[in-house]
Amino acid sequence: NKKAFVELLFWKTPLAIREMTEGYGSLQEGEGAGRSRVPPWTPQEEQELRELYWKYKEVEGQDVIAAILAQLPAPGRTRRQVVKQLVRL
């Protein structure tokens, strides 16, 4: 690739560097960034998250996020995902 020097001027992720060295399109489906993507929140999950937040936000001495995670029907969600979604909402 004769234009690779231009790509070196910008920050790269390890995944992008691997693709540059092994050839573009060399990563298989489900490998790299696609594997770490978070499944999108459905409108039903967002509504449930809102309801749980309003239910537990006033409880003194209790971790609100832990209470939400215990009641959330989607078991694959992490604490970080829930906090990020609450901030977004």
Side-chain angles (χ1 to χ4, degrees):
N1 187 355
K2 294 182 179 188
K3 297 180 183 177
F5 67 91
V6 175
E7 292 190 21
L8 296 175
L9 297 174
F10 303 98
W11 286 100
K12 300 284 182 244
T13 63
L15 181 64
I17 293 170
R18 180 175 167 202
E19 193 170 23
M20 283 174 58
T21 57
E22 294 180 8
Y24 294 101
S26 63
L27 295 178
Q28 300 299 319
E29 185 67 32
E31 203 175 308
R35 180 177 52 198
S36 65
R37 285 204 178 124
V38 177
W41 288 80
T42 64
Q44 293 83 13
E45 288 176 328
E46 287 180 354
Q47 182 61 32
E48 182 73 22
L49 186 61
R50 279 189 196 100
E51 291 171 4
L52 289 171
Y53 174 73
W54 286 107
K55 180 179 177 181
Y56 291 112
K57 80 173 195 148
E58 297 295 328
V59 178
E60 296 265 342
Q62 183 179 7
D63 184 14
V64 176
I65 304 301
I68 290 173
L69 280 171
Q71 298 294 320
L72 204 60
R77 298 292 181 187
T78 64
R79 182 180 182 88
R80 175 178 241 154
Q81 291 170 350
V82 170
V83 169
K84 189 174 182 179
Q85 186 67 16
L86 281 172
V87 169
R88 192 184 73 73
L89 291 174

